Amino acid sequence: MSEDILNKFKEKQDNSAAIDVSKKVRVAIIGTGWIADAHIQQYLEMPDVEIVGGADLVEGKAEEFFKKWGVEGAKCYRNHTELLENEKDLDAVSICTYNKTHAECAIAALNAGVNVLLEKPMCVTTEEAVEIMRAEKKSGKVLSIGFQPRLDPNMVKVCDIVKSGILGDIYYIQTGGGRRRGIPTPFGTSFISKDTGVIGAMGDIGCYSLDMVLNAIGYPKPLTVTGYTSNFFGKNPDYFKVEGKPAEYADAFDVEDFAAGFIRLEGGIILDFRIAWAMHLDTPGDTIIMGTKGSLRIPSTECWNGSVGGPMTVYSEVAGSPVETKFPMEVDNSKGCFYNKVRSFLDAVKNGTPAPVPSSQILYNQAIIDGIVKSAKLGKEIEIEIPEI
């Protein structure tokens, strides 16, 4: 599906008339923090979008947000409930709130009959993901989750390589990523506090790592997980002092800055996962997909953000001899992954087509993250249980 979406974007950018502007999609933004900037920037590129309003719990923040972006006439509300009650002709919302409130806002919007573009992570627990999907099913509206890296042409190439059969049957995957010094505190402590973020590195960048490989192999169901989490760096005042930030950030830090998981998937596949916001290392390792006929190495990046760090390599055998096949980096000739994420959501809303990043897939992503959290607390392997939707 991702490759088809990417091709459609390229066609539309070659022919701007491909976007039907006869009916505009009325959009609002719930949560006007820094990720909302990326959403509104793309919406302003869309000739078929009318931005009608926004909501933020912080008084005056939504007003300043729209003023900064030059959006006149957008109505501002103190919370998502007020917005949904007053904007009766609303078509869609971007939900850009704290992790903790993703589920609450998404369910309310779907129950109000509004299509939803929900930022990652989908939510913070498996149970919340299930409740979101039940609201989605009842509403019949489009719910797409914000995993734009899968629309990068290099990520599409990962899927193409796996689906080509050159690797044979997949049996082991190593994935993850990390930042040597990358705890996100540009605007305070919302990312690092359990009251708002709930989960840390896994919800911020770990979900991208999981999606990269799970999407490539068709999102098999996770069965069991052994998890580990720690926060040695985030709880150390010296970490923040070096960056010129208040040492009190260490007191507020109560999520994980490192996590690891050993996950058994349907089909006999083992997934070895690790993610870090901070570490004394340049990378926790490349992503490796091992199969019975060949293996794929995907180079890591120094600052993981859901991208490929360099040309990929397939290791295989030809006529009994070991060979290596290099894949040059694909060039993204579109307007970028974030634009593609928003555009694909709008197209699904207008055309009544399936969500480009369906919740049925990201449910498994969320279940793995939640399973790591629960397993780490118990100190043992647990079964991943996913209720019926």
Side-chain angles (χ1 to χ4, degrees):
M1 180 182 291
S2 296
E3 185 175 18
D4 292 339
I5 291 170
L6 209 56
N7 288 334
K8 289 177 181 177
F9 290 138
K10 291 174 181 177
E11 291 173 5
K12 284 187 175 181
Q13 286 164 182
D14 292 337
N15 178 17
S16 59
I19 297 177
D20 179 9
V21 297
S22 62
K23 182 183 184 303
K24 295 203 172 186
V25 182
R26 293 171 56 83
V27 172
I29 299 175
I30 299 175
T32 57
W34 71 271
I35 195 60
D37 287 329
H39 282 253
I40 195 169
Q41 182 178 3
Q42 305 311 321
Y43 282 131
L44 290 172
E45 290 281 326
M46 311 293 178
D48 57 343
V49 166
E50 180 184 357
I51 301 171
V52 299
D56 200 289
L57 295 174
V58 179
E59 187 172 358
K61 190 174 180 180
E63 287 83 354
E64 286 299 317
F65 173 74
F66 289 120
K67 181 180 179 181
K68 177 177 70 174
W69 285 99
V71 176
E72 298 180 358
K75 296 180 181 179
C76 298
Y77 301 92
R78 289 295 304 276
N79 55 59
H80 68 279
T81 303
E82 287 184 6
L83 185 149
L84 294 169
E85 286 178 350
N86 287 278
E87 297 296 330
K88 299 299 184 183
D89 296 325
L90 196 59
D91 296 309
V93 292
S94 276
I95 295 178
C96 305
T97 61
Y98 304 136
N99 296 346
K100 184 176 182 179
T101 58
H102 279 192
E104 175 187 356
C105 295
I107 291 169
L110 291 165
N111 286 343
V114 178
N115 301 285
V116 174
L117 177 55
L118 176 59
E119 258 304 328
K120 58 79 189 167
M122 183 177 181
C123 48
V124 294
T125 68
T126 307
E127 292 77 13
E128 284 184 346
V130 168
E131 289 305 312
I132 292 172
M133 291 180 65
R134 285 174 176 163
E136 174 193 15
K137 183 177 180 180
K138 182 179 179 181
S139 71
K141 295 298 178 179
V142 174
L143 168 66
S144 189
I145 317 300
F147 282 74
Q148 70 274 4
R150 69 160 63 182
L151 297 175
D152 180 281
N154 292 287
M155 293 298 185
V156 173
K157 179 61 70 176
V158 172
C159 294
D160 290 344
I161 291 170
V162 174
K163 291 173 184 176
S164 74
I166 193 174
L167 304 183
D169 295 328
I170 307 302
Y171 61 89
Y172 174 84
I173 298 173
Q174 170 187 299
T175 195
R179 302 167 180 169
R180 188 165 185 171
R181 177 173 283 274
I183 295 175
T185 55
F187 304 111
T189 60
S190 61
F191 264 111
I192 65 176
S193 169
K194 191 172 287 293
D195 290 339
T196 49
V198 186
I199 49 178
M202 287 191 289
D204 181 29
I205 53 178
C207 58
Y208 284 152
S209 298
L210 291 171
D211 188 62
M212 174 171 63
V213 294
L214 293 173
N215 186 44
I217 64 174
Y219 258 100
K221 184 179 181 180
L223 302 176
T224 66
V225 59
T226 298
Y228 169 84
T229 62
S230 61
N231 56 10
F232 299 120
F233 294 86
K235 295 300 292 182
N236 184 351
D238 290 337
Y239 176 93
F240 296 104
K241 287 179 181 178
V242 169
E243 296 190 340
K245 295 174 181 175
E248 289 78 10
Y249 276 27
D251 294 329
F253 198 103
D254 53 7
V255 295
E256 85 287 346
D257 58 36
F258 176 79
F262 190 80
I263 303 104
R264 298 181 185 276
L265 306 172
E266 275 189 339
I269 302 171
I270 296 299
L271 175 58
D272 184 356
F273 164 74
R274 73 291 303 267
I275 198 74
W277 263 346
M279 57 185 172
H280 293 306
L281 198 63
D282 57 345
T283 172
D286 294 341
T287 290
I288 299 170
I289 303 176
M290 299 176 67
T292 55
K293 294 181 180 179
S295 295
L296 172 65
R297 181 184 296 276
I298 306 168
S300 63
T301 60
E302 289 187 1
C303 184
W304 173 251
N305 60 0
S307 57
V308 173
M312 296 179 284
T313 305
V314 168
Y315 300 80
S316 59
E317 288 189 358
V318 175
S321 298
V323 298
E324 298 178 11
T325 305
K326 292 281 187 181
F327 290 83
M329 292 286 285
E330 297 283 332
V331 178
D332 188 355
N333 293 317
S334 72
K335 291 185 177 180
C337 294
F338 218 101
Y339 175 94
N340 296 345
K341 172 174 78 171
V342 174
R343 185 68 254 170
S344 63
F345 167 67
L346 293 171
D347 289 345
V349 170
K350 295 178 73 172
N351 301 326
T353 50
V357 183
S359 59
S360 57
Q361 292 180 347
I362 308 306
L363 169 65
Y364 290 169
N365 189 305
Q366 194 69 51
I368 290 172
I369 292 173
D370 189 30
I372 290 173
V373 172
K374 292 174 179 175
S375 170
K377 287 181 179 178
L378 294 172
K380 64 178 182 179
E381 181 180 63
I382 64 170
E383 291 188 7
I384 294 179
E385 298 180 358
I386 302 175
E388 289 294 322
I389 305 301

